[in-house]
Amino acid sequence: MKNIRAALKTISFFSVFSLCSTPSVAQENIPLDVDLTASANIQPTMYGIFFEDINFSADGGLYAELVKNRSFEFEQPMMGWSQPATDPYATNENSGIANTLHFADNKTNKNVLRINVFNDQHYSLVNEGFRGMGIHNGEGYLLSFYANNPNRTIKNVVAQLIDAKGEIIASTKVSLAHADWHKYESRLVAKRTEEKASLRISFEGTGTLDMDMVSLFPNNTWKGREKGLRKDLVQLLADLKPGFLRFPGGCIIEGRTLAQRYQWKNTLGQTDSRPTMVSRWNTEFKHKLTPDYFQSFGLGFYEYFQLAEDLGAEPIPVLSCGIACQFNTGELVPVSELDPYIQDALDLIEFANGTADSPWGKVRVEMGHPKPFNLKYIGIGNEQWGPQYIERYKIFQTVLKKKYPDIILVSGSGPFAEGQMFDYAHRELKKLGADIIDEHYYKDIAWFKNNATRYDDYDRNGPKIFAGEYAAQSVAVVSPDNKNSWETALAEAAFMTGLERNADLVHMTSYAPLMAHTEAWQWSPNMIWFNNLQALATANYQVQKLFSNNKGTELVRITHDGKPLTGQDGLYASAVTDKQNKSLTLKLVNTNAQALNIQLNMPAGVMKGKATVTLLSANNLQAENSFASPSVITPITHTEKFNNVATYKAPPHSVSVISIPVMQKNISVKQ
Ligand code: AHR
């Protein structure tokens, strides 16, 4: 290490000397040796995404529905809706009234809106959307609703998109031609862009009308699917080229109570028959209350599988293991009553992979996907800990492996990155021969920089590792003041070189949480922020994308003085080759405030052509991307001719990804 130290000493001198001039650079080169002998395969699943319905990521986010509480099933059935009688400024409060009728015998959709229009004074209902509705100029929107108009005295429904001043952005009139329940549809085209539009529905005629499932979707969704997903958000996910998609949580799969756990079977079939359920993030944090956070399950398991398929990612559904969130009630299913939970897992495999003549395979086929989803993994529980988890996991493992020996079970080590419970879980799961253990760490910046060696001494004869949830916290875990600063992203990049160097053991990794609505979030930091019109890739997203897009296929060695670069004097590195692209890719993370001159020693005669260098950096560690300046931290790429002994200047506080074409014969493959 003496070379790096010497180099940094020189840098310090130059920093003082060259204040206010160009950034100082080490005068001595730091030699790094690259050896192209493959030591492990990089799994295609190495970098993936973890989608949890937190921060309005599903309803109000990825799921493009614009109407909040479309079926009047929230605990307060009119939440999100207003009418003249509830508007203190309305002058037509005597124009009509709406109340919900509750049909206790209905299995899923229990509430219906009964509307009485008294006169022609423009009785109207307004839906506020998810902190408004994002409407784009010139784009089309599909309105749909069910109506029951027994006396046919209400003639038309007029639907308008309006801004805060009541100005009309789009409008349509739907004639109510049927007396009994009927589904109506109509299209609106927006005359301008508006971030905070509302949907106003008014009525022509007088009398009584029942309505349900009032819905509005943009036509312009991901892959143009009707009533589908928000295109800009899915595009950001697709650009990551994720190896897997873990869904739908996170703590939401556990529920605060067992009754509120995520039950995938409730999320299938027609969206209007999927029951609405409160989100466990609704009032979880006193400092970030979102009492209007419910799950419509419009984005359900079929849609998650379809999304994974679209992204070319392995689907990794996570199921309740019979323990409610241990930060909440920790309610337990007695082991003697665990069968339905295990049956859910068995049925899920059949739903994803079964043939059309199997009961659950048939459901998938009827929903429009004849081909299997090719499910290979299932998560059993999320952040459970203690003997109760191990006891339940063991039963799942015994039953599932008996029927489906090839299915890979993802077990968990709980919410702790280390400590007694963490060690206990690892010890017991190893004894059980668990396939892969999910570890979570929401830690400070220093922890990430100090933990690039975390996996170097892990047991190679035990379960594989899934670094399933991690993010550097600039203040503290669950602090609302955490930022997506360049400093956090740089620390994560440093840590990720350690994940990659241990790719023989670490088979899957994902940042968390994935996304958040700027006005309806509970948790920060997040990889992607969005408002009703735009999506923002953070510095942390850019790091994830850079690693994932350059993951390679074989792990090779990059060393200094024969040792891996794990933060000695602020420098981290990993290296891979790619047998398809015939390239060698180096990832160099310089956490110093000074540039480092690096000398890359490559085996003679392996290089062919120019290297592509992609650089992420910022002149200020606190820099962040924002909607106003989305590209403060963005990759910049150039090409450079490298020789077998090449010099490279790693800028201060930077991540460099150097991809060098190499001769096919020099790519060794790990069998
Ligand atoms: O990512 C947010 C939460 O953090 C997840 O739901 C949970 O698994 C972890 O505690």
Side-chain angles (χ1 to χ4, degrees):
M1 202 34 51
K2 67 179 184 317
N3 284 339
I4 296 188
R5 288 223 179 84
L8 285 168
K9 266 193 198 149
T10 327
I11 291 165
S12 308
F13 170 75
F14 271 82
S15 328
V16 176
F17 182 72
S18 61
L19 267 184
C20 304
S21 64
T22 51
S24 50
V25 177
Q27 295 304 291
E28 269 183 54
N29 286 339
I30 302 160
L32 303 186
D33 300 316
V34 180
D35 172 355
L36 294 194
T37 315
S39 61
N41 296 131
I42 306 282
Q43 299 299 316
T45 52
M46 183 70 191
Y47 301 106
I49 50 184
F50 162 48
F51 181 90
E52 173 165 21
D53 184 5
I54 184 173
N55 300 319
F56 277 42
S57 296
D59 292 288
L62 199 58
Y63 185 52
E65 171 65 86
L66 294 168
V67 176
K68 183 170 73 184
N69 192 13
R70 63 186 174 189
S71 60
F72 312 98
E73 299 293 321
F74 284 16
E75 276 161 16
Q76 293 174 39
M78 290 290 283
M79 192 178 238
W81 293 90
S82 58
Q83 55 176 327
T86 56
D87 177 356
Y89 302 105
T91 51
N92 59 345
E93 67 272 19
N94 296 322
S95 57
I97 192 162
N99 305 83
T100 44
L101 293 175
H102 182 79
F103 294 91
D105 290 346
N106 280 6
K107 222 171 136 210
T108 54
N109 190 340
K110 292 184 184 299
N111 293 342
V112 162
L113 193 67
R114 169 140 306 170
I115 300 154
N116 288 292
V117 182
F118 300 144
N119 51 42
D120 59 2
Q121 286 175 20
H122 308 294
Y123 173 79
S124 58
L125 287 156
V126 176
N127 187 275
E128 66 190 18
F130 299 90
R131 310 296 185 269
M133 298 176 182
I135 301 299
H136 295 266
N137 185 25
E139 294 199 357
Y141 293 84
L142 174 61
L143 171 81
S144 62
F145 60 85
Y146 287 85
N148 178 31
N149 189 18
N151 304 319
R152 298 197 56 193
T153 51
I154 307 275
K155 301 295 176 198
N156 301 307
V157 164
V158 177
Q160 294 162 328
L161 284 165
I162 54 171
D163 67 12
K165 293 187 196 131
E167 278 178 24
I168 297 165
I169 303 164
S171 184
T172 187
K173 188 184 276 196
V174 185
S175 151
L176 301 180
H178 302 267
D180 45 9
W181 279 107
H182 185 79
K183 183 177 180 183
Y184 296 89
E185 284 189 349
S186 183
R187 303 223 175 230
L188 298 89
V189 176
K191 285 190 284 196
R192 63 182 168 82
T193 295
E194 170 61 49
E195 187 187 342
K196 290 188 169 287
S198 326
L199 175 67
R200 180 167 68 196
I201 297 173
S202 51
F203 305 88
E204 291 180 354
T206 54
T208 301
L209 177 79
D210 292 341
M211 283 184 101
D212 208 348
M213 281 299 283
V214 182
S215 162
L216 184 74
F217 272 87
N219 293 345
N220 189 13
T221 57
W222 170 251
K223 286 190 178 281
R225 287 197 188 109
E226 190 164 281
K227 303 195 173 188
L229 305 183
R230 208 175 119 169
K231 194 175 172 182
D232 57 342
L233 290 175
V234 184
Q235 189 59 55
L236 280 178
L237 303 186
D239 293 345
L240 289 168
K241 300 190 184 148
F244 64 85
L245 173 69
R246 175 178 175 235
F247 58 88
C251 295
I252 69 151
I253 66 115
E254 304 164 7
R256 281 188 200 143
T257 61
L258 285 169
Q260 290 177 351
R261 73 188 186 279
Y262 193 101
Q263 299 195 53
W264 68 271
K265 289 173 181 166
N266 289 341
T267 74
L268 304 180
Q270 295 296 320
T271 50
D272 48 14
S273 61
R274 302 180 190 180
T276 301
M277 194 177 80
V278 70
S279 165
R280 57 97 65 236
W281 296 110
N282 182 303
T283 50
E284 182 70 9
F285 297 126
K286 300 259 175 311
H287 57 271
K288 274 306 213 180
L289 296 174
T290 42
D292 56 341
Y293 198 175
F294 285 75
Q295 303 174 82
S296 72
F297 298 119
L299 172 55
F301 259 42
Y302 179 84
E303 291 78 16
Y304 282 121
F305 276 112
Q306 195 176 40
L307 175 62
E309 185 174 73
D310 291 348
L311 299 175
E314 295 292 347
I316 308 188
V318 187
L319 300 184
S320 163
C321 64
I323 307 180
C325 179
Q326 286 163 272
F327 291 113
N328 298 147
T329 63
E331 214 179 359
L332 289 173
V333 176
V335 166
S336 57
E337 293 175 24
L338 199 56
D339 280 1
Y341 291 73
I342 296 175
Q343 194 57 49
D344 270 356
L346 292 168
D347 292 343
L348 180 60
I349 301 170
E350 186 176 291
F351 170 74
N353 296 348
T355 53
D357 54 8
S358 64
W360 284 102
K362 183 164 178 265
V363 176
R364 182 197 73 243
V365 174
E366 283 172 358
M367 286 186 76
H369 202 282
K371 281 200 306 197
F373 282 120
N374 199 14
L375 176 69
K376 299 186 188 115
Y377 302 83
I378 290 196
I380 306 300
N382 173 46
E383 277 185 349
Q384 270 68 52
W385 65 85
Q388 294 83 356
Y389 174 61
I390 299 298
E391 192 182 17
R392 282 161 183 73
Y393 173 80
K394 188 177 168 184
I395 304 170
F396 272 90
Q397 182 175 286
T398 307
V399 179
L400 292 179
K401 287 284 184 181
K402 187 160 180 222
K403 184 147 188 209
Y404 298 104
D406 294 333
I407 203 88
I408 299 171
L409 298 184
V410 180
S411 52
S413 55
F416 319 106
E418 59 268 308
Q420 217 182 325
M421 280 305 167
F422 175 87
D423 292 342
Y424 170 79
H426 266 268
R427 206 169 47 239
E428 296 303 317
L429 288 167
K430 183 181 175 192
K431 279 192 223 155
L432 291 174
D435 296 319
I436 185 160
I437 302 182
D438 179 17
E439 297 187 356
H440 295 176
Y441 15 86
Y442 297 95
K443 296 285 200 175
D444 61 27
I445 289 165
W447 186 94
F448 279 88
K449 291 203 274 189
N450 293 335
N451 272 271
T453 52
R454 177 179 175 90
Y455 294 110
D456 292 5
D457 298 325
Y458 258 54
D459 181 0
R460 262 47 191 181
N461 299 314
K464 301 297 181 202
I465 296 298
F466 179 7
E469 294 185 28
Y470 68 86
Q473 314 288 299
S474 61
V475 179
V477 68
V478 308
S479 165
D481 299 324
N482 285 327
K483 300 283 183 230
N484 283 100
S485 63
W486 175 234
E487 191 175 18
T488 61
L490 188 65
E492 287 153 10
F495 175 72
M496 289 167 79
T497 61
L499 297 176
E500 196 164 276
R501 269 189 316 96
N502 284 279
D504 62 316
L505 173 78
V506 180
H507 282 192
M508 297 192 274
T509 67
S510 44
Y511 181 98
L514 181 64
M515 50 174 84
H517 191 298
T518 50
E519 293 179 48
W521 56 276
Q522 298 81 43
W523 186 294
S524 180
N526 299 288
M527 197 157 93
I528 295 167
W529 289 87
F530 59 89
N531 59 28
N532 290 338
L533 293 176
Q534 297 159 284
L536 177 75
T538 62
N540 312 74
Y541 172 94
Q542 297 296 2
V543 164
Q544 293 292 323
K545 184 175 165 193
L546 208 48
F547 273 70
S548 180
N549 285 196
N550 294 283
K551 65 173 174 282
T553 56
E554 320 291 319
L555 180 67
V556 298
R557 272 169 69 78
I558 180 166
T559 53
H560 172 76
D561 277 351
K563 296 195 191 89
L565 282 295
T566 59
Q568 301 93 322
D569 294 306
L571 184 61
Y572 300 77
S574 57
V576 296
T577 50
D578 191 306
K579 60 180 180 243
Q580 270 92 43
N581 302 339
K582 299 180 196 56
S583 60
L584 160 70
T585 298
L586 312 176
K587 299 185 180 91
L588 304 176
V589 180
N590 178 10
T591 59
N592 292 296
Q594 298 90 12
L596 289 179
N597 266 350
I598 288 166
Q599 177 183 305
L600 295 168
N601 298 327
M602 249 90 61
V606 301
M607 280 185 285
K608 199 177 120 200
K610 283 188 170 174
T612 305
V613 181
T614 307
L615 186 69
L616 269 182
S617 67
N619 56 9
N620 167 6
L621 282 175
Q622 303 320 314
E624 288 179 72
N625 288 342
S626 65
F627 287 106
S629 304
S631 305
V632 173
I633 300 126
T634 200
I636 295 174
T637 300
H638 71 274
T639 55
E640 217 170 301
K641 178 94 182 92
F642 278 6
N643 295 317
N644 290 327
V645 178
T647 53
Y648 175 71
K649 185 169 87 176
H653 296 146
S654 66
V655 180
S656 306
V657 173
I658 305 173
S659 191
I660 307 164
V662 293
M663 312 281 215
Q664 165 110 48
K665 65 176 179 358
N666 295 111
I667 304 231
S668 84
V669 176
K670 184 79 186 161
Q671 297 306 331

